[in-house]
Amino acid sequence: MHSYLQKIRDFITNLDVDSSKIFNNMSPIQHFAKGDFLLKQDDVCRKSYWIIRGIARKYYLHDGKDITTELYFEDDLAVSFESYTLQKPSKEYIQALTDISVAVTDYTLFQKMKQQFPKLTELDLMLTEYYAIWLEERLFEFHTLSASERYLNLLEKQPQIVQFVPLTHIASYLGISLETLSRIRAKI
Amino acid sequence: MHSYLQKIRDFITNLDVDSSKIFNNMSPIQHFAKGDFLLKQDDVCRKSYWIIRGIARKYYLHDGKDITTELYFEDDLAVSFESYTLQKPSKEYIQALTDISVAVTDYTLFQKMKQQFPKLTELDLMLTEYYAIWLEERLFEFHTLSASERYLNLLEKQPQIVQFVPLTHIASYLGISLETLSRIRAKI
DNA sequence: CGACATATTGAGATCCATCAACCAATGTGG
DNA sequence: CCACATTGGTTGATGGATCTCAATATGTCG
């Protein structure tokens, strides 16, 4: 696991009693069935979803095709970042790829709690930093790797994606056509 | 200008007196000559640089080629994000493309000040959110736009880049070969 | 002026997308 | 439980976008 994630976990574990109590009671559990939408395009993303069990994806439509931007597994935080941060309509959908359980945190409530418990702002910052570092890595891959290099890289870093997600979504996640991905896999 | 940047400016303007005093005295001005390095690969990025005057770029080397990841103008914040955040060796260089003046903030000092003045943590969060949103936009461009669409998009959104930065750097910033960029421009 | 960096243009090769046909697995209503 | 639809994946043929290599042009600065 990424060492910064560990640091974030440690930070949560070592929160003072009050902050910790708030943090643990802020996010009720919800369940969604396979195919359900957690967020639709043009809606404001007012919740963040901590994936407890199952798989989900985030995507948008471009020229009629859907472009997968993120794939979520256990312990990932599903949210349409720009929509959530600016509280403006989302360009993206978030959809359950299997039945899922999630811990749901309300944006407005979290904002209030951050004002009362500054440690939560620090936590928010750490999570955002982690996301930015992840985005930089993704950008590096698009900037410098060929289609098959991107696939091999994914296979190495997140084999669970290749194992559990339909190739159609993996292809669009990697910015490759389904056919090309199929041929890349055949060659290995 | 992006509306979230305006919100950040307003936040800085409206800081309480103490936070504001700290913020304004934390960052001495420095000057660099054209070609100077603000950061080199393998060094830890211990400073952030607020560009006051001039142009700079961030890049890394991949297969002997240099890949420009960001171009900085007045009021931009130059920093190798992962290196700065995790205080680990940088993959990237930051270099002055013209003579520049920058306000330099030390990482360690800023961390200490954040502990004393929680408003600075909020500010840090806002800046990081802004960077993450910018990264998402970049990723969208690589994910869905063709070479010429990326160039036209840049021309529209940041004409100052096309005006002042050598085509070599623009091409690598867009993930295009210099020759292809030259042909795209000839066709317009 | 000479030297070095920067940009243009041409020719050929390569990667990858698209379109189309086909295949396999799964599930559902009758 | 079969027939058929649906979803997900493969394979082939072709074309277009973009890269690479090479030659030439233009610009800039000591």
Side-chain angles (χ1 to χ4, degrees):
Chain A
M1 184 185 38
H2 198 292
S3 65
Y4 199 52
L5 264 193
Q6 189 54 53
K7 193 177 156 194
I8 294 174
R9 273 170 213 280
D10 292 347
F11 184 88
I12 294 172
T13 307
N14 296 318
L15 280 174
D16 58 286
V17 180
D18 285 350
S19 302
S20 180
K21 195 176 280 181
I22 289 296
F23 181 72
N24 288 313
N25 292 304
M26 202 172 32
S27 308
I29 310 297
Q30 271 187 37
H31 305 279
F32 291 88
K34 175 175 177 172
D36 283 355
F37 287 94
L38 286 66
L39 175 70
K40 288 195 171 181
Q41 185 183 35
D42 296 331
D43 288 347
V44 173
C45 183
R46 300 186 195 284
K47 315 275 181 185
S48 68
Y49 301 93
W50 192 278
I51 311 285
I52 294 172
R53 197 181 47 79
I55 307 178
R57 72 171 178 134
K58 172 160 65 76
Y59 70 96
Y60 57 81
L61 296 176
H62 183 78
D63 289 350
K65 285 176 228 162
D66 65 70
I67 309 288
T68 299
T69 50
E70 208 167 350
L71 293 161
Y72 301 109
F73 289 79
E74 197 172 303
D75 275 350
D76 287 337
L77 186 61
V79 66
S80 180
F81 188 80
E82 188 187 12
S83 171
Y84 182 83
T85 302
L86 307 182
Q87 289 289 290
K88 66 177 221 184
S90 170
K91 296 167 188 159
E92 299 171 301
Y93 297 81
I94 302 177
Q95 186 182 32
L97 289 182
T98 64
D99 292 356
I100 59 175
S101 307
V102 291
V104 184
T105 306
D106 181 78
Y107 172 84
T108 308
L109 177 62
F110 188 48
Q111 292 300 113
K112 279 182 195 151
M113 292 303 106
K114 285 197 290 185
Q115 288 306 317
Q116 272 185 266
F117 303 95
K119 280 280 162 193
L120 296 181
T121 303
E122 289 182 46
L123 177 59
D124 197 4
L125 175 58
M126 291 173 88
L127 290 168
T128 305
E129 285 170 346
Y130 183 72
Y131 182 55
I133 289 168
W134 179 84
L135 285 170
E136 280 192 339
E137 268 179 49
R138 283 272 287 162
L139 209 38
F140 164 82
E141 288 155 19
F142 275 93
H143 214 152
T144 60
L145 304 184
S146 67
S148 52
E149 285 171 331
R150 290 205 294 282
Y151 177 71
L152 291 172
N153 181 65
L154 183 70
L155 205 52
E156 186 190 338
K157 288 198 183 163
Q158 300 190 260
Q160 76 280 22
I161 288 186
V162 181
Q163 202 174 346
F164 295 114
V165 177
L167 288 189
T168 309
H169 300 327
I170 296 176
S172 97
Y173 181 68
L174 294 175
I176 311 174
S177 72
L178 173 62
E179 294 92 327
T180 296
L181 179 57
S182 182
R183 281 182 254 266
I184 287 169
R185 286 161 55 88
K187 263 191 212 154
I188 296 176
Chain B
M1 183 183 41
H2 198 292
S3 66
Y4 199 53
L5 262 193
Q6 188 54 51
K7 193 177 156 194
I8 295 174
R9 273 171 214 280
D10 292 347
F11 184 88
I12 294 173
T13 308
N14 296 319
L15 280 174
D16 59 286
V17 180
D18 285 350
S19 302
S20 180
K21 195 176 279 182
I22 289 296
F23 181 73
N24 288 312
N25 292 305
M26 204 173 30
S27 309
I29 309 298
Q30 271 189 38
H31 305 278
F32 292 88
K34 175 174 177 170
D36 283 356
F37 287 94
L38 286 66
L39 175 70
K40 288 195 173 181
Q41 185 183 33
D42 295 330
D43 288 348
V44 174
C45 183
R46 300 187 194 282
K47 315 275 182 184
S48 68
Y49 302 93
W50 193 279
I51 311 286
I52 294 170
R53 198 180 46 78
I55 307 177
R57 71 170 179 133
K58 172 159 66 75
Y59 69 97
Y60 58 81
L61 297 176
H62 184 78
D63 289 349
K65 286 175 224 160
D66 64 72
I67 309 289
T68 299
T69 49
E70 207 167 349
L71 293 161
Y72 301 109
F73 290 78
E74 195 172 305
D75 276 348
D76 288 337
L77 186 61
V79 66
S80 180
F81 188 80
E82 188 186 13
S83 172
Y84 182 83
T85 302
L86 307 182
Q87 288 291 290
K88 67 178 222 183
S90 170
K91 297 167 187 159
E92 300 171 302
Y93 298 81
I94 301 177
Q95 186 181 34
L97 289 181
T98 63
D99 291 357
I100 58 175
S101 307
V102 289
V104 183
T105 306
D106 181 77
Y107 173 84
T108 307
L109 178 61
F110 188 48
Q111 292 300 114
K112 278 183 195 152
M113 292 303 107
K114 284 197 289 185
Q115 289 305 317
Q116 271 184 265
F117 304 95
K119 281 279 163 192
L120 295 182
T121 302
E122 291 182 45
L123 177 59
D124 197 3
L125 175 57
M126 291 174 86
L127 291 169
T128 305
E129 285 169 346
Y130 183 72
Y131 182 54
I133 290 169
W134 179 83
L135 285 169
E136 282 193 338
E137 267 179 49
R138 284 271 286 162
L139 209 37
F140 164 83
E141 288 155 18
F142 275 94
H143 214 152
T144 59
L145 304 184
S146 68
S148 52
E149 284 171 330
R150 291 205 294 283
Y151 177 70
L152 291 171
N153 181 65
L154 184 70
L155 205 52
E156 186 190 338
K157 289 197 182 163
Q158 299 190 263
Q160 77 279 22
I161 287 185
V162 181
Q163 203 174 348
F164 294 114
V165 177
L167 288 189
T168 309
H169 300 328
I170 295 176
S172 97
Y173 180 68
L174 294 174
I176 311 174
S177 72
L178 173 62
E179 295 91 328
T180 296
L181 179 57
S182 182
R183 283 183 254 267
I184 288 169
R185 286 161 54 88
K187 263 191 211 153
I188 297 175

